Amino acid sequence: MMTEPLTMPPILYLPCFDYQVHRQRPQQLLYHLSLLGFNVIYCNVTQDREHPFVILNDHFAVCQDTEALDLGRPYVMWLTHGPYVDSLPGFNASLIISDLADTTEEEFAPFAVWEDRKIQAADIVLCASRIIYETTAPKHPQVHLVRNAADYAHFAQAVQKTPLPIPDEKDQQLCRATEPIIGFWGAVASWLDYSLIRMIAAERPQYTFIFIGQITCHGPDSLSDLPNVHWLGNRDYESLPWFASHFDAAIIPFEIRKVTNAANPVKMYEYMAAGLPVISTDLPEVRLQKHVRIGRSPAQFLRHLDEALLQDRSPELIQARQATAQEESWTQRAEFIKERIIETFLRKYESSD
């Protein structure tokens, strides 16, 4: 039995996304675990050997020079990117956590070759949606459903009176529109339903549609003739509450297919934390949220959008959406994972005594 105090090695996340560019599931979970006392080293893709480590808090460091890592020390390895399974032998892994945020089908099919190996290599497997969990649970004894969430305090600023970072003049001017502003943030990717976006924008020329996020496909090019649809590209995470404070509603216009059926949109929780009415296409994880309107056809989506603007912006409904988001926070998710890490680490430690 263990008689000395528990000393947990730092969690190491190998380069996949730069921390400041994206603030998605890995960044949020790892940062909130650091707030619970876990030491975390998050490796950026972009390297800067003159500044190998950037310290964000007492327990969280962004590594900008992977050659500066101490490969002799033990780490808790946090895997999201399948190919890093091949890199595990180069590390002293005291624990391996595999986090499955997406299915490995359609756009993500190239990663399927690593998926089972990523699961089998792990001590703990986390799944972001019920569909991923049900597929994975028979393959490993320690599989846990840990859905996405919101950084509630960050997005709740949209309805608070605290000053917010102000974007550039062009963005400010766009958001001064007196007509309804319909917002979106996240990856502008191939799984957006561009035919649906065209229909609702063409049917409601008096609405302004603003899309924020990295553009990774040619879909927006097909809508360049619509003057009320604006593709802003990336904006700082810190600026999203400001945009949310100017949106009248927010949308999740995903196609319905394998990739999206297995998705658990982070933006859904963030929209609710910002108090916004939310309209989505019919996704399994979205159906669980009573405060999200679901459009099962283009006509129904448009009708829900119109009704949300008229009916869903009362203080009571804003508070109800925020209350839901507060219960679905990254802090809550991190606390659950903390318990799983400690119990698994203790079990391995004690069994080796």
Side-chain angles (χ1 to χ4, degrees):
M1 294 291 292
M2 188 183 72
T3 57
E4 60 191 54
L6 173 65
T7 301
M8 184 71 64
I11 299 172
L12 179 63
Y13 184 78
L14 296 175
C16 190
F17 305 104
D18 282 359
Y19 182 81
Q20 298 294 352
V21 174
H22 294 80
R23 205 70 64 86
Q24 291 293 315
R25 178 181 174 92
Q27 293 93 325
Q28 295 284 12
L29 284 176
L30 292 169
Y31 184 78
H32 283 81
L33 281 168
S34 80
L35 298 180
L36 297 178
F38 286 88
N39 292 320
V40 175
I41 301 173
Y42 183 102
C43 296
N44 268 0
V45 175
T46 303
Q47 299 286 280
D48 181 356
R49 292 182 178 177
E50 293 186 5
H51 306 93
F53 293 97
V54 176
I55 308 302
L56 299 189
N57 65 37
D58 290 343
H59 297 284
F60 194 102
V62 176
C63 175
Q64 301 183 134
D65 180 8
T66 53
E67 292 185 5
L69 292 171
D70 180 359
L71 298 184
R73 69 169 305 166
Y75 292 104
V76 174
M77 304 298 295
W78 189 286
L79 292 182
T80 59
H81 189 50
Y84 281 132
V85 171
D86 296 330
S87 302
L88 289 176
F91 294 89
N92 180 5
S94 61
L95 209 67
I96 299 171
I97 301 168
S98 288
D99 186 21
L100 313 182
D102 299 291
T103 183
T104 52
E105 298 180 279
E106 297 174 341
E107 287 91 337
F108 299 116
F111 299 101
V113 66
W114 291 285
E115 192 74 351
D116 281 349
R117 290 174 58 203
K118 189 168 75 170
I119 293 167
Q120 295 307 318
D123 297 284
I124 301 170
V125 181
L126 309 176
C127 301
S129 72
R130 171 64 63 178
I131 286 177
I132 297 173
Y133 173 81
E134 290 177 349
T135 301
T136 307
K139 301 178 181 180
H140 195 283
Q142 288 291 331
V143 179
H144 304 281
L145 176 59
V146 179
R147 289 187 164 95
N148 288 328
D151 181 353
Y152 177 79
H154 182 65
F155 286 95
Q157 295 178 97
V159 294
Q160 296 166 352
K161 301 300 182 183
T162 54
L164 294 171
I166 298 175
D168 64 29
E169 180 60 32
K170 185 177 179 181
D171 288 348
Q172 291 182 59
Q173 186 173 358
L174 180 62
C175 290
R176 290 191 189 114
T178 56
E179 63 270 13
I181 299 176
I182 314 305
F184 170 96
W185 60 69
V188 178
S190 54
W191 48 81
L192 292 191
D193 189 337
Y194 293 96
S195 63
L196 171 63
I197 296 168
R198 169 173 287 282
M199 190 279 280
I200 60 176
E203 289 289 327
R204 295 294 181 269
Q206 72 273 29
Y207 295 175
T208 295
F209 294 84
I210 295 177
F211 289 80
I212 298 170
Q214 183 178 5
I215 299 172
T216 62
C217 69
H218 296 292
D221 296 339
S222 67
L223 306 183
S224 59
D225 59 310
L226 294 170
N228 59 330
V229 180
H230 304 271
W231 309 92
L232 304 191
N234 271 335
R235 291 295 185 269
D236 290 342
Y237 178 75
E238 300 303 324
S239 72
L240 293 182
W242 184 92
F243 282 98
S245 72
H246 289 77
F247 292 166
D248 296 291
I251 57 174
I252 307 174
F254 284 6
E255 294 181 339
I256 304 301
R257 48 190 178 88
K258 291 178 180 178
V259 162
T260 55
N261 277 330
N264 189 328
V266 173
K267 62 181 64 61
M268 172 177 68
Y269 303 96
E270 294 172 343
Y271 292 162
M272 289 193 293
L276 290 166
V278 185
I279 305 91
S280 175
T281 48
D282 187 15
L283 308 176
E285 291 290 322
V286 172
R287 293 176 203 149
L288 302 175
Q289 299 297 333
K290 65 180 181 179
H291 294 298
V292 177
R293 289 177 176 264
I294 296 176
R296 293 181 171 85
S297 68
Q300 189 180 50
F301 193 102
L302 181 59
R303 185 166 66 252
H304 276 310
L305 178 56
D306 291 339
E307 291 174 355
L309 292 171
L310 291 172
Q311 302 172 12
D312 293 357
R313 295 192 288 168
S314 68
E316 293 77 15
L317 288 176
I318 290 172
Q319 291 171 10
R321 288 188 289 269
Q322 288 194 296
T324 296
Q326 196 165 19
E327 294 172 359
E328 307 263 13
S329 69
W330 290 118
T331 298
Q332 185 265 348
R333 305 295 193 244
E335 288 172 346
F336 175 85
I337 295 170
K338 173 185 176 179
E339 294 176 3
R340 304 291 81 74
I341 292 175
I342 291 174
E343 68 187 19
T344 304
F345 189 83
L346 285 173
R347 188 163 54 244
K348 288 190 72 171
Y349 189 99
E350 291 174 351
S351 65
S352 65
D353 278 2

